[in-house]
Amino acid sequence: MTDLRPTFGKRPLRRSAILEHLAAIRYRTGRRYPCAILDGGFATEIERLGHDLSTTATQGEWAAAVLHKAPHDVQRVHRRYLEAGAEILTSASYQASMASIPTAVEVLARSLDRLDTQASYVLRAVSLGPLAARLGGGLEYRGYADTELFAAGDEAARETFRRYHEPRIAACVPFFAENSNDRDLTGDGTVPRADFILFETVPDALEATCISELMTSDTRFENIPWAISLQCRLASSSPPLAPESSERCTNMPQLAGGGPVPSVVEELLVSSFGPDPESGTRNGPLFIGFNCCPPWLIRPILESLQRCRHPLARQCAILSRTLERTEVRSADKWANFAGWAVYPNSGEMWDPGTQTWGRPSASTLDPENDAFWQYHVPVWSALGATIIGGCCRIGPQGISALARVVLG
């Protein structure tokens, strides 16, 4: 099997190298399921360390505010996820201001500095949230219907999305320069590296395609690897299925801001790669993910994706059906796209009255227990999930349980 360590120097990896690296991780000898392991909810752990992440305390930066007052705690969280088995670590920059984004990437680099070879194969992602996260009020879970964003039409909204995301992406360019490395830690003035940008919890189809256009068409960003993760819900308010239920959800999942998941993903693949991904070398996403959804929604999302007609989506479906019969696949079959990533929240619900989290009565499985992942991972993997992790309320203990199931 491929030795992962030689693929990493101090320089950031480019798109093709990351895809090869993900494939090498997924098919390492002895792994029970061919999935790379993503880290879990960052704010969850920062709060457990005693930090107040309320809007008043953080001025809207959420966990990123801790970068300046307690960077050692941010490093501690990164290391806990590494020790739990995460193979992809994300920076604490999801809701960060422009000024805080470089700090988040530097703190992530410091958290891995001088560790043993366990950290040598870890991919570093710069987390960037949607405009909704910066506006606050949980809009990433509802979309922009409660705002005036679309009042002047789609083109005006597109320009708003572009003005928000373009400078944030530009702030990340130095992390992907050829001379980018970790020597900033020794004080010679260079900047820390990152491996890709991860746009997370995007609730709107137009915002997703706007991000894609920036990453594929703007010459400043054409060499920056990236991925995108969408926020989804059911099309109607039917009650969730219990995790243990064998029933299938017949209600079509859609983005939080509207639009059936298969149609939105197909539109995103076309805008990123074109209708024929083999005909060009556009800088499409490394993978498309779905995050901070309740765990019971992941299966319906993945099942709905089998309706996508784009060649890369069809390829995901074909490969997922042959996984049990194929121990190691040829890397060129998956050369352009790493498939689907899923990292749900714990399924808990926030009670504003008691100011506490609680698990719905229909859900009895806890992500800190192996049984949770033993139930979900085989299904998600068989439906094409190639990257699995956690989001809100899933901490290092949950990722450790996931790693035990995935690694066998």
Side-chain angles (χ1 to χ4, degrees):
M1 199 61 210
T2 303
D3 183 1
L4 301 179
R5 283 173 289 176
T7 66
F8 271 82
K10 290 291 188 180
R11 294 182 178 180
L13 297 180
R14 288 292 176 254
R15 189 175 188 280
S16 60
I18 293 176
L19 291 169
E20 292 174 5
H21 189 78
L22 282 170
I25 288 175
R26 293 176 55 226
Y27 286 90
R28 294 183 80 179
T29 301
R31 185 166 293 221
R32 183 182 298 171
Y33 297 102
C35 307
I37 301 169
L38 183 66
D39 61 11
F42 200 88
T44 300
E45 283 306 292
I46 286 293
E47 286 181 319
R48 285 176 179 168
L49 292 176
H51 293 281
D52 180 3
L53 299 186
S54 65
T55 301
T56 302
T58 66
Q59 286 73 54
E61 285 201 278
W62 205 21
V66 184
L67 288 163
H68 305 287
K69 62 182 182 181
H72 55 282
D73 279 344
V74 177
Q75 292 179 36
R76 188 185 307 178
V77 172
H78 286 315
R79 286 173 175 163
R80 284 180 178 177
Y81 280 119
L82 178 67
E83 291 163 358
E87 296 154 328
I88 304 171
L89 295 180
T90 52
S91 63
S93 51
Y94 172 76
Q95 223 164 301
S97 65
M98 290 283 294
S100 296
I101 292 174
T103 305
V105 179
E106 181 179 353
V107 170
L108 174 57
R110 287 182 182 276
S111 70
L112 300 179
D113 185 42
R114 300 184 183 90
L115 293 182
D116 60 23
T117 55
Q118 178 188 11
S120 66
Y121 63 84
V122 172
L123 289 170
R124 309 176 187 191
V126 183
S127 170
L128 294 182
L131 172 60
R134 196 62 188 163
L135 295 177
L139 286 176
E140 61 263 56
Y141 304 104
R142 304 192 305 274
Y144 299 98
D146 296 342
T147 72
E148 298 297 317
L149 182 65
F150 286 92
D154 284 2
E155 286 307 309
R158 185 187 298 274
E159 178 61 18
T160 300
F161 287 135
R162 188 196 66 77
R163 288 199 308 268
Y164 178 72
H165 287 287
E166 183 180 19
R168 293 171 66 79
I169 300 168
C172 298
V173 169
F175 312 138
F176 300 91
E178 285 299 322
N179 63 348
S180 175
N181 55 36
D182 288 343
R183 286 178 295 170
D184 67 310
L185 307 181
T186 64
D188 72 351
T190 55
V191 296
R193 71 166 177 83
D195 295 305
F196 65 98
I197 295 175
L198 176 56
F199 299 94
E200 300 188 89
T201 332
V202 177
D204 187 85
L206 185 61
E207 184 171 19
T209 55
C210 182
I211 290 169
S212 171
E213 289 165 4
L214 283 168
M215 299 307 295
T216 58
S217 302
D218 193 313
T219 55
R220 293 172 296 169
F221 311 142
E222 62 186 4
N223 290 321
I224 297 179
W226 64 287
I228 189 167
S229 188
L230 308 173
Q231 165 58 211
C232 303
R233 60 182 175 85
L234 289 181
S236 70
S237 57
S238 59
L241 298 176
E244 299 84 352
S245 173
S246 60
E247 296 181 59
R248 290 201 171 194
C249 179
T250 58
N251 192 353
M252 174 64 72
Q254 66 178 26
L255 254 66
V261 167
S263 301
V264 172
V265 169
E266 186 162 344
E267 180 182 359
L268 182 56
L269 287 171
V270 170
S271 71
S272 299
F273 294 99
D276 180 6
E278 299 299 329
S279 64
T281 57
R282 300 183 68 181
N283 182 33
L286 299 164
F287 56 83
I288 294 176
F290 306 90
N291 76 289
C292 219
C293 309
W296 54 262
L297 186 55
I298 297 297
R299 177 176 175 174
I301 290 171
L302 292 174
E303 288 176 337
S304 76
L305 291 171
Q306 297 183 9
R307 304 185 186 192
C308 286
R309 294 169 295 176
H310 192 275
L312 290 177
R314 291 204 306 269
Q315 177 177 277
C316 293
I318 292 170
L319 284 174
S320 69
R321 289 195 295 267
T322 60
L323 284 177
E324 293 183 0
R325 300 193 300 272
T326 308
E327 184 176 350
V328 179
R329 57 168 177 73
S330 171
D332 59 6
K333 289 183 180 179
W334 203 279
N336 289 330
F337 187 58
W340 317 125
V342 295
Y343 48 118
N345 57 42
S346 68
E348 295 172 83
M349 303 293 290
W350 174 254
D351 185 334
T354 63
Q355 298 287 298
T356 59
W357 291 91
R359 200 170 302 284
S361 59
S363 175
T364 59
L365 295 180
D366 184 339
E368 291 191 354
N369 297 329
D370 292 16
F372 175 93
W373 302 103
Q374 288 167 346
Y375 177 83
H376 288 297
V377 169
V379 175
W380 296 347
S381 176
L383 289 171
T386 57
I387 298 168
I388 299 178
C391 203
C392 292
R393 303 289 292 174
I394 295 182
Q397 285 185 304
I399 298 305
S400 181
L402 167 64
R404 286 193 295 271
V405 171
V406 168
L407 302 178

